[in-house]
Amino acid sequence: MSNILKGLNEEQKLATMHIDDALLILAGAGSGKTKTLTTRLAYLIDEIGILPQSTLTLTFTNKAAAEMRYRALNLIKNKNSAPPLLCTFHKFGLLFLKFHINKINRDSNFILIDTDDKKKIIKNMNSNLSTHLLSSEISKFKNNIISPIQAKEASKDLIYKEIIKIYEQYNAYLITNNMLDFDDLLLITYQILDSNPLLCSEISKKYNYIMVDEYQDTNELQYKLLQKLCKEHNNICVVGDDDQSIYGWRGANINNILDFAKQFHNAKTIRLEKNYRSTTQILDAANSLINFNTNRLGKNLISMIGDGKDIEIIKSIDERNEALAIAKKIKNLINNGAKLEDIAILFRLNALSRSLEDGLRKENIPYKIIGTVRFYERAEIKDILSYFRLIVNIEDNFSFMRIINRPKRGIGKVTQDKLENFVNQNKLSIYTAIKQHKDEIGISKKHLDTIEGIFDIINELKEILEDSTMGFLEAFKNKIDILDTFNNTDEIDRKANIDEFYGFFRDYILQHPTASLEDFLNDVALSSDGDDDIENAVSCMSVHSSKGLEFKYLFVTGLEEGFFPIISDTTDIEEERRLGYVAFTRAKSELYLSFTKSRFYKGKRTQLRKSRFLSEAGLFNEIPQVDNSLFNRYDLVSHKVFGIGRIIDINKSGPDIKLKINFGGITREILSSFVSKV
């Protein structure tokens, strides 16, 4: 037997040694999926003789990609050729477009914008709708491969038409300014492959063995892109867990993993059910909970660790007492030798974090709220990045308008509007306008001189960069005082952030000596929320943010009906239950589940019932019983929003009844607790 297979269990070995045709590795939480995936990659290269450059391994976050790359390269003995490509979906799109975006007459020197940039562009389009809604809906269109023209044809109401109008304007703005957003990295890659069959075949032959991590999180666009990459072969291996599919709200399609065997012929499924993370007590509760779901492939996690401490239930009068109880338990854990970074508190709703913070502060426990403003989205860091983008592309109007008064230069809004209007009407870059048409713009000589001075600095820094990257950084720090943009009240924090950024830039250059400033900017733009390390603090985060993490001591709060699970007309109770499953399986040794009798939420004190998930997990002997006789097919029922409707079908969903109701020709699925008989 090959040495590379040592340490693998039988199922992991089977998955590793599967060579040709489609393979679904159904990997439960803590079952060693990363080990299996990286070992399989090494096995293909070292034992079978597949060229490393013929493989492509895709995942979702930079952190996951870096971890897999590190593990794989340590396993692979064949170091004689180029390393395998192991990256995020979006990094693959970026690399592809650098070579092939010219196929749609776009310049490869495009600017990759992040979410913050995207929202700023949309905000300037003067819509009455919220920027967040518009940004989200535009993403949904792109990830479902719907163009503005196609969206127009399906427009329904005034709000929908307004969204499509902004989508059209936003797309036109990106094209005019040679910009791409994250969604474009995959959408345009797919469109180029779809419209160029020969290129599609060439790329498919190049990457003859494809592996995908976290397959349950893929959306429609990612699935269609994978189909293109598999055009010339069927060698796709995906790793995922349908029980951890929790991103339906942002486009992930659980059917991609559920229907894998139908979508890729000759597909084989191997289940990894041996768990190396959690105790038997924790897994028994998680298995019991998820078994209430019906839309799943099915598996049962078995603990390789064995028995541990029983799960502890924390019952409190209200959220204040809950926070104090949790803080005191954490204090005891710390006093008994627990490390801060081994402890986490999870909540279904971010609003629940406020009272928890109060409790932790009262006990002087260091904590960090995960999911707040990302480092690269802080104003002072965005300013530096905008300067860097201008140095890469001096005709980047978007970046220039951000830094025109950063640091303060006395150029007011009237002057800025005149400048923007002139370049937009004449379809010019600001740089070209200032160099060739400055007398036509209609702004004062003083301001023209100031703007010319900015471009002189940019060109000077560009020349220094060509000679020395480290010299460029020192010159940049001397010439651009970003701190002068802000008030003095938060100067210490902003200075610390700026210093940290400069330190990171130095490290990046030392680790990537051949990288360009453009490479650095692209890597920063592709960074994600999950890339930050957690040290010397208790972690507080939403259940969504916790996916992929594990903690020795875990507290799950807010386990009440309406809070976890959330109950509404649009609730997918099976996805809520999958969230519960994800939350439970983050715990390694000790799991604490907390509920309260009441909460103060959105200005109102609410009396609550404990979550059904506690009983479904086998922790209370009181699973809510649903009386099927309450509703029958063809009964008339009343809903507070949709009015009178007739039941046309009845389905059990765990302990609930899901009713399919015809409301005047529109069929909706509603939980039975939200309607009453007429």
Side-chain angles (χ1 to χ4, degrees):
M1 183 177 68
S2 168
N3 286 335
I4 205 167
L5 301 178
K6 284 184 178 177
L8 299 183
N9 63 40
E10 287 307 309
E11 293 76 22
Q12 290 171 334
K13 286 176 188 174
L14 285 172
T16 297
M17 297 169 70
H18 180 96
I19 310 302
D20 294 322
D21 280 331
L23 173 65
L24 166 60
I25 303 174
L26 196 62
S31 63
K33 71 177 180 67
T34 303
K35 182 178 184 179
T36 306
L37 201 65
T38 52
T39 304
R40 183 175 186 271
L41 180 59
Y43 184 84
L44 286 173
I45 293 168
D46 285 345
E47 298 295 325
I48 306 303
I50 304 300
L51 292 174
Q53 55 267 38
S54 293
T55 69
L56 171 64
T57 306
L58 299 170
T59 188
F60 281 85
T61 68
N62 291 321
K63 190 173 184 179
E67 172 69 14
M68 285 200 291
R69 193 180 303 112
Y70 174 78
R71 290 207 210 177
L73 293 180
N74 277 343
L75 286 170
I76 294 167
K77 301 291 185 269
N78 178 12
K79 303 285 200 295
N80 297 325
S81 57
L85 181 54
L86 200 164
C87 61
T88 65
F89 273 95
H90 291 93
K91 183 62 178 279
F92 173 77
L94 177 69
L95 295 171
F96 177 88
L97 292 177
K98 283 294 177 185
F99 287 100
H100 300 293
I101 200 169
N102 62 318
K103 302 283 192 307
I104 57 170
N105 298 316
R106 296 278 296 269
D107 193 333
S108 63
N109 190 28
F110 54 78
I111 300 158
L112 178 59
I113 63 170
D114 62 19
T115 306
D116 187 54
D117 296 329
K118 177 183 177 182
K119 288 181 177 177
K120 186 175 180 183
I121 293 168
I122 292 170
K123 189 175 182 179
N124 289 336
M125 291 179 174
N126 298 320
S127 172
N128 293 324
L129 300 176
S130 81
T131 302
H132 177 77
L133 171 68
L134 290 164
S135 176
S136 174
E137 290 300 311
I138 288 170
S139 276
K140 285 179 185 176
F141 282 132
K142 291 190 177 187
N143 284 304
N144 284 287
I145 320 177
I146 299 172
S147 68
I149 294 172
Q150 290 168 321
K152 266 185 180 178
E153 293 171 356
S155 62
K156 302 168 186 173
D157 52 36
L158 290 175
I159 291 178
Y160 201 75
K161 287 178 178 177
E162 174 70 8
I163 292 169
I164 295 164
K165 184 186 83 173
I166 299 300
Y167 177 26
E168 195 170 29
Q169 291 176 4
Y170 170 75
N171 246 26
Y173 182 93
L174 294 191
I175 292 169
T176 299
N177 291 279
N178 199 26
M179 292 175 165
L180 300 181
D181 63 22
F182 284 171
D183 300 321
D184 289 329
L185 292 176
L186 301 188
L187 177 60
I188 297 176
T189 295
Y190 169 79
Q191 290 170 335
I192 290 172
L193 291 174
D194 188 49
S195 57
N196 292 270
L198 289 177
L199 176 63
C200 186
S201 293
E202 178 189 325
I203 297 297
S204 181
K205 288 174 183 175
K206 178 179 180 180
Y207 299 113
N208 205 34
Y209 288 88
I210 295 171
M211 291 194 282
V212 185
D213 188 26
E214 303 285 9
Y215 190 67
Q216 77 282 343
D217 294 338
T218 54
N219 59 28
E220 179 71 7
L221 175 55
Q222 287 157 337
Y223 161 64
K224 289 283 183 67
L225 178 57
L226 288 169
Q227 281 193 317
K228 292 295 178 189
L229 294 175
C230 291
K231 181 184 178 186
E232 297 295 324
H233 60 80
N234 194 41
N235 301 328
I236 179 168
C237 167
V238 303
V239 182
D241 183 0
D242 54 325
D243 291 332
Q244 295 187 70
S245 179
I246 60 173
Y247 296 116
W249 52 277
R250 72 180 188 195
N253 186 356
I254 190 173
N255 291 319
N256 287 350
I257 191 167
L258 294 178
D259 296 338
F260 181 79
K262 299 174 188 173
Q263 294 164 344
F264 295 93
H265 63 274
N266 293 332
K268 182 177 181 179
T269 299
I270 296 175
R271 286 171 168 79
L272 304 185
E273 298 176 298
K274 292 173 181 170
N275 176 285
Y276 298 90
R277 174 190 297 161
S278 308
T279 63
T280 298
Q281 285 86 342
I282 292 167
L283 295 186
D284 283 350
N287 286 329
S288 177
L289 173 65
I290 203 63
N291 277 334
F292 276 79
N293 275 4
T294 56
N295 193 28
R296 61 190 294 256
L297 295 170
K299 65 183 175 313
N300 193 62
L301 294 180
I302 303 162
S303 175
M304 296 292 102
I305 293 173
D307 281 350
K309 185 180 175 183
D310 285 342
I311 294 171
E312 186 172 330
I313 306 294
I314 302 171
K315 179 180 178 180
S316 306
I317 298 170
D318 57 24
E319 67 273 19
R320 179 178 170 277
N321 283 281
E322 176 188 54
L324 290 172
I326 290 172
K328 287 183 184 301
K329 287 190 180 294
I330 290 175
K331 195 78 170 178
N332 287 335
L333 288 172
I334 294 167
N335 290 339
N336 288 319
K339 296 178 181 177
L340 288 166
E341 55 264 37
D342 286 338
I343 305 170
I345 305 173
L346 306 186
F347 34 81
R348 174 67 180 90
L349 293 170
N350 288 316
L352 270 59
S353 67
R354 182 194 57 79
S355 57
L356 292 169
E357 289 189 71
D358 289 343
L360 293 169
R361 278 196 295 264
K362 283 176 182 174
E363 290 294 331
N364 295 314
I365 297 171
Y367 68 91
K368 181 178 181 181
I369 301 291
I370 311 299
T372 53
V373 178
R374 288 178 55 232
F375 180 78
Y376 294 116
E377 289 180 0
R378 297 179 187 277
E380 61 274 19
I381 305 304
K382 292 287 292 184
D383 291 346
I384 298 172
L385 291 172
S386 293
Y387 272 105
F388 281 15
R389 293 203 307 207
L390 264 176
I391 290 162
V392 169
N393 178 11
I394 203 165
E395 298 193 336
D396 178 357
N397 288 356
F398 182 76
S399 294
F400 183 85
M401 290 309 299
R402 180 178 178 97
I403 58 87
I404 191 170
N405 253 344
R406 296 170 181 263
K408 296 169 186 172
R409 298 186 174 100
I411 301 176
K413 188 174 186 308
V414 173
T415 300
Q416 291 180 43
D417 287 346
K418 283 182 180 178
L419 180 60
E420 274 200 290
N421 289 336
F422 181 82
V423 296
N424 289 339
Q425 287 169 8
N426 293 280
K427 296 184 178 178
L428 296 169
S429 71
I430 295 171
Y431 181 71
T432 300
I434 293 294
K435 290 296 179 187
Q436 299 178 13
H437 305 277
K438 63 181 180 181
D439 294 335
E440 304 168 36
I441 300 172
I443 60 178
S444 70
K445 184 178 184 304
K446 178 185 174 183
H447 289 147
L448 287 170
D449 290 345
T450 300
I451 294 169
E452 280 191 296
I454 298 172
F455 284 121
D456 288 344
I457 292 172
I458 296 299
N459 280 319
E460 189 178 338
L461 289 170
K462 195 179 185 76
E463 288 181 14
I464 295 170
L465 177 64
E466 290 171 1
D467 291 334
S468 165
T469 307
M470 290 302 184
F472 155 75
L473 180 59
E474 293 308 309
F476 182 87
K477 288 164 63 178
N478 290 333
K479 291 179 180 297
I480 309 291
D481 182 12
I482 294 295
L483 270 181
D484 192 40
T485 304
F486 305 99
N487 298 324
N488 293 330
T489 51
D490 50 7
E491 182 176 337
I492 294 174
D493 285 343
R494 292 192 189 276
K495 185 177 187 307
N497 290 336
I498 290 169
D499 289 343
E500 184 176 339
F501 175 84
Y502 289 150
F504 170 69
F505 181 74
R506 287 191 195 93
D507 287 346
Y508 181 91
I509 296 305
L510 290 172
Q511 292 171 22
H512 307 84
T514 61
S516 66
L517 185 58
E518 185 179 7
D519 292 331
F520 172 76
L521 289 170
N522 286 333
D523 280 354
V524 166
L526 288 171
S527 70
S528 62
D529 294 344
D531 295 338
D532 299 327
D533 289 325
I534 303 161
E535 293 180 351
N536 303 319
V538 171
S539 300
C540 302
M541 69 187 84
S542 70
V543 180
H544 283 102
S545 296
S546 75
K547 188 164 171 294
L549 303 177
E550 57 183 47
F551 299 92
K552 193 171 183 181
Y553 311 97
L554 188 79
F555 295 79
V556 183
T557 66
L559 280 159
E560 304 99 25
E561 290 291 294
F563 285 79
F564 199 0
I566 290 173
I567 302 295
S568 74
D569 293 340
T570 58
T571 292
D572 179 345
I573 194 64
E574 295 214 348
E575 181 153 321
E576 289 292 308
R577 197 171 282 114
R578 291 194 292 269
L579 270 170
Y581 176 82
V582 166
F584 289 12
T585 54
R586 299 311 94 199
K588 296 166 71 176
S589 301
E590 297 183 20
L591 177 59
Y592 301 83
L593 304 177
S594 174
F595 70 92
T596 68
K597 287 188 173 181
S598 74
R599 285 191 188 277
F600 191 74
Y601 184 60
K602 291 187 176 179
K604 184 180 179 182
R605 173 63 57 187
T606 308
Q607 297 298 312
L608 305 165
R609 289 186 295 118
K610 60 178 169 285
S611 172
R612 72 191 72 183
F613 293 168
L614 293 169
S615 54
E616 290 177 359
L619 302 171
F620 282 98
N621 296 319
E622 47 179 288
I623 296 174
Q625 297 298 313
V626 178
D627 186 353
N628 290 321
S629 66
L630 286 176
F631 296 98
N632 297 295
R633 288 182 71 186
Y634 310 121
D635 281 351
L636 283 176
V637 291
S638 175
H639 186 277
K640 64 182 179 182
V641 174
F642 304 126
I644 304 296
R646 189 176 296 279
I647 297 173
I648 57 176
D649 200 7
I650 302 173
N651 290 295
K652 195 170 187 298
S653 178
D656 280 320
I657 293 294
K658 188 162 59 178
L659 305 176
K660 189 175 284 186
I661 306 170
N662 184 332
F663 292 99
I666 298 174
T667 300
R668 302 180 187 272
E669 287 191 330
I670 306 285
L671 293 176
S672 60
S673 55
F674 285 85
V675 297
S676 57
K677 278 189 178 182
V678 175

